[in-house]
Amino acid sequence: MGVAYRRGRSKWPLRTPEKFGCVDSRFASRTAKPFAKGLGVGIYTFLRVNVAGFSHSHYRGCFEVVFPCSPILCLWLRNIRVWIKQLSVRKHTSAAKVLAKITPATEVAPAESSNQKPPVQEQGITPRSQDFNAWYLDDYLNIKFKETGHSNMYFPQFIPYSFIEKEASHVEGFSPELALVTVGGGKELEEKLVVRPTSETIVNHMFTQWIQSYRDLPLMINQWANVTRWEMRTKPFIRTLEFLWQEGHTAHATPEEAEREAMQMIDVYTKFSYEQAAIPVIPGRKSRVETFAGADRTYTIEAMMGDRKALQAGTSHNLGQNFSRAFGTQFADENGQRQHVWQTSWAISTRFVGGIIMTHGDDVGLVLPPRLASVQVVIVPIWKKANEKNEVLEAALSVKDILHTAGIKVKLDDSDQRTPGWKFNFWEMKGVPLRIEIGPRDVSSRSVVISRRDIPGKPGKIFGISMESSFLIPYIKEKLDEIQSSLLDKAITFRDSNIVDVNSYDELKEAISQGKWARGPWIGSDEDELKVKEETGATVRCFPFDQPPGPKKCLMTGGPADEVAIFAKSY
């Protein structure tokens, strides 16, 4: 797969991001729009490029694809403005000139004077030989994916229906959620196209062409993309008709390698949840009923939301050889024998954004973990008289420069169209972890007032903090770390206080009726599991990796059980 020009053109202009109002209807469900608008969430068109190289009849030639992204929490990308500077306008007179000028990005030297502008370095479109990640900016997850040996690519959004049909359990599991394209260009298509619900099928179509020998393995890729699933009952961020995610796909020579990969990636998600999002997820294995369609085993991270419902925050699937046998994805081993590859897939989506909102948010609005907040500190200058404005703004700008230089994500709200009180409420709703207030008295005393978002009202206010950089920088960093730890500790306490250990089905039903999670020994059949769901509304969320020692008896059958399972209601 490679990036190509539009057919018939020698030049292809790169488009800069465009904001479509508050929410672009293409990327949000009908019910999600007003909710997102209230939070001030904007959704951007990130980049338009052409993709070519697929041999299937529906993909001959070139076609345009769109890379969407949301700036909220910087979960997917960091600062778009940096991206614009790094990938600014290029002009090339021919394809040969493009290829000739492809070089690794280098830092532009600073201008010698304020009147002299730094030279603009021209770059071509990223060739296939380079990591497709050049179209994205690194964030925590992307860095982890690259550290574990994965490369970023992009696959088509429209998938031939025949691909979906090749894996029986896969098509059975996804049929109710598929969106189909039957007409294109005013003509009925020879074969229906499925709007991507997930990419195992199209990935395997390409794997069969890329994998020939054991020397081609392991093949480990990831893509950041949008997905469509025809949800009948939408819920903002949690269940939407279209959502954004990353999905990893890997192929291995042995089942042991595939299992290690599946476990490694669920561990990456677990650490991200704890260390970055301050969400204390429970990692574990899904039951047979809840296993991904087409997988041998599914691993999950389950999070408890503020209403005590469970959220499946991320999954990693050991696909075995199910898809490789369906698509004929084989390799020649060291003895020259043809073998089917062993595969995994794993994903985390914008559902996680909803998880952050519902784990930490309160009646005022968002409460963001500092490590994910796009703005960690907001500075609100306060003045009443005109002659106070300049000295207050000067002090506020000085504080901003001090924090920015220290690597803290800071914003100065120096607009004079709104009152300080309005700004306080606005940034509290946005969930900014720390607010710095600077007034005339603070300027005189060379100090500031700091308010913590996680501790509302006067208890969260600290007065008389010195403006001196030697004191202010370590103090702010310490408070951000305190907020991060406090949010995690609070979420752990809430989760643990709402999990009940049960030893009988009656106890399970009682716990679920109280809105809690039930944890108990389980070896029940698929029919028993469906009975629990029908009678209580709860499902087996997972068999936790962390299991209690000692003998156990199944809460349903009374037989010996090796594991405990967690039951809970979900969205």
Side-chain angles (χ1 to χ4, degrees):
M1 184 181 72
V3 179
Y5 291 108
R6 292 186 186 181
R7 182 176 296 165
R9 295 189 183 185
S10 61
K11 299 180 182 179
W12 197 86
L14 190 65
R15 303 187 187 181
T16 55
E18 302 166 0
K19 187 173 181 181
F20 294 89
C22 182
V23 174
D24 187 345
S25 60
R26 292 175 298 172
F27 304 137
S29 71
R30 188 174 301 174
T31 57
K33 286 185 187 178
F35 183 80
K37 186 174 182 180
L39 295 175
V41 177
I43 297 189
Y44 291 75
T45 293
F46 176 52
L47 181 65
R48 298 175 186 270
V49 300
N50 287 347
V51 180
F54 291 89
S55 62
H56 192 274
S57 60
H58 291 293
Y59 302 122
R60 289 173 184 162
C62 303
F63 58 92
E64 188 175 71
V65 294
V66 179
F67 292 78
C69 74
S70 168
I72 184 172
L73 308 181
C74 297
L75 188 59
W76 310 109
L77 305 169
R78 288 206 299 267
N79 195 324
I80 288 180
R81 288 177 297 177
V82 177
W83 177 85
I84 297 172
K85 292 178 182 178
Q86 292 178 343
L87 297 177
S88 55
V89 179
R90 301 119 171 141
K91 292 186 178 180
H92 304 280
T93 58
S94 66
K97 187 175 179 180
V98 173
L99 296 176
K101 290 198 174 185
I102 291 175
T103 57
T106 57
E107 190 171 312
V108 178
E112 295 182 0
S113 68
S114 58
N115 296 326
Q116 182 180 356
K117 294 183 179 180
V120 177
Q121 180 179 354
E122 291 187 352
Q123 281 184 311
I125 295 177
T126 306
R128 178 176 175 175
S129 60
Q130 294 185 24
D131 189 352
F132 197 73
N133 180 55
W135 296 117
Y136 298 93
L137 297 175
D138 286 339
D139 58 10
Y140 178 92
L141 285 175
N142 209 29
I143 291 172
K144 293 298 181 184
F145 297 158
K146 294 170 73 67
E147 287 177 352
T148 49
H150 304 87
S151 299
N152 283 332
M153 296 187 184
Y154 184 81
F155 291 85
Q157 184 177 15
F158 298 106
I159 302 171
Y161 191 76
S162 59
F163 287 14
I164 304 291
E165 290 181 310
K166 285 187 177 182
E167 215 291 320
S169 61
H170 192 64
V171 67
E172 181 182 356
F174 275 102
S175 284
E177 299 179 334
L178 296 182
L180 301 177
V181 179
T182 59
V183 177
K187 297 180 180 179
E188 187 171 346
L189 301 178
E190 293 180 7
E191 180 180 0
K192 294 180 292 187
L193 297 177
V194 177
V195 184
R196 174 176 51 221
T198 182
S199 298
E200 279 77 10
T201 56
I202 191 65
V203 166
N204 266 276
H205 175 71
M206 297 309 300
F207 275 12
T208 59
Q209 302 176 47
W210 294 343
I211 299 172
Q212 303 299 327
S213 164
Y214 70 92
R215 297 181 182 88
D216 300 322
L217 298 174
L219 180 54
M220 303 190 294
I221 66 167
N222 172 69
Q223 76 165 340
W224 302 84
N226 57 331
V227 172
T228 299
R229 295 182 184 175
W230 208 264
E231 295 285 352
M232 302 307 294
R233 293 177 297 172
T234 58
K235 188 177 185 67
F237 291 108
I238 306 304
R239 290 195 177 277
T240 54
L241 186 66
E242 183 176 2
F243 55 90
L244 306 177
W245 74 352
Q246 61 72 212
E247 54 176 321
H249 298 273
T250 67
H252 305 268
T254 67
E256 292 80 13
E257 288 181 13
E259 179 67 9
R260 283 197 297 270
E261 169 72 7
M263 293 295 290
Q264 173 183 248
M265 299 320 295
I266 204 66
D267 184 58
V268 168
Y269 290 157
T270 302
K271 289 180 178 178
F272 170 72
S273 301
Y274 272 87
E275 297 174 4
Q276 303 295 309
I279 298 179
V281 297
I282 296 177
R285 187 187 77 255
K286 283 288 190 181
S287 67
R288 287 189 301 271
V289 172
E290 296 291 324
T291 295
F292 176 74
D296 285 353
R297 289 177 296 281
T298 290
Y299 303 110
T300 181
I301 51 173
E302 299 290 325
M304 181 181 289
M305 301 294 97
D307 59 359
R308 296 182 295 189
K309 286 187 177 180
L311 181 73
Q312 179 180 287
T315 51
S316 179
H317 313 292
N318 186 330
L319 302 176
Q321 293 180 317
N322 298 321
F323 285 92
S324 63
R325 290 186 181 277
F327 282 82
T329 313
Q330 295 180 307
F331 70 101
D333 64 17
E334 295 183 11
N335 299 318
Q337 300 297 313
R338 300 296 293 174
Q339 306 283 349
H340 288 93
V341 299
W342 301 81
Q343 294 180 264
T344 74
S345 66
W346 28 274
I348 195 169
S349 75
T350 41
R351 171 179 287 192
F352 204 97
V353 176
I356 294 171
I357 295 171
M358 293 188 291
T359 298
H360 303 306
D362 57 21
D363 290 340
V364 175
L366 296 175
V367 179
L368 298 182
R371 291 177 188 168
L372 286 183
S374 56
V375 177
Q376 296 172 315
V377 179
V378 62
I379 302 172
V380 179
I382 304 170
W383 69 86
K384 291 184 178 180
K385 301 176 182 179
N387 60 356
E388 298 172 339
K389 178 178 179 179
N390 288 339
E391 63 176 6
V392 169
L393 286 179
E394 184 179 343
L397 185 60
S398 173
V399 170
K400 177 192 174 184
D401 291 340
I402 289 172
L403 298 181
H404 179 74
T405 303
I408 296 169
K409 291 177 281 189
V410 59
K411 179 177 179 60
L412 171 60
D413 189 346
D414 57 357
S415 62
D416 52 10
Q417 288 84 17
R418 305 289 186 179
T419 65
W422 189 96
K423 294 178 184 179
F424 293 172
N425 292 331
F426 178 79
W427 292 110
E428 285 175 0
M429 183 187 73
K430 291 284 189 178
V432 175
L434 285 177
R435 182 179 74 242
I436 293 179
E437 304 164 20
I438 302 177
R441 293 183 181 179
D442 302 308
V443 174
S444 300
S445 62
R446 297 291 299 166
S447 65
V448 298
V449 178
I450 295 177
S451 294
R452 289 176 53 159
R453 177 62 182 88
D454 63 320
I455 305 177
K458 289 185 178 180
K461 276 202 170 188
I462 309 106
F463 296 87
I465 304 302
S466 174
M467 289 185 189
E468 297 300 323
S469 60
S470 59
F471 182 87
L472 185 61
I473 292 173
Y475 184 87
I476 292 295
K477 289 184 175 180
E478 179 185 354
K479 289 304 172 184
L480 291 174
D481 288 341
E482 282 183 15
I483 294 172
Q484 186 80 26
S485 298
S486 175
L487 291 177
L488 179 59
D489 292 342
K490 182 180 177 181
I492 291 174
T493 300
F494 179 79
R495 180 200 66 186
D496 293 347
S497 65
N498 284 287
I499 298 179
V500 178
D501 288 307
V502 298
N503 294 294
S504 69
Y505 186 40
D506 288 338
E507 291 179 357
L508 182 149
K509 289 191 287 186
E510 177 65 20
I512 298 299
S513 68
Q514 295 175 1
K516 297 179 180 289
W517 290 18
R519 179 174 54 200
W522 183 259
I523 57 164
S525 64
D526 294 351
E527 290 74 21
D528 291 332
E529 187 174 338
L530 293 173
K531 176 184 176 181
V532 173
K533 182 177 181 179
E534 182 180 347
E535 294 183 357
T536 69
T539 58
V540 174
R541 302 314 304 165
C542 70
F543 293 91
F545 294 147
D546 186 11
Q547 289 283 332
K552 298 174 268 296
K553 289 185 179 181
C554 177
L555 64 88
M556 179 68 80
T557 67
D562 296 328
E563 299 176 295
V564 298
I566 291 179
F567 294 79
K569 292 183 178 181
S570 62
Y571 299 99

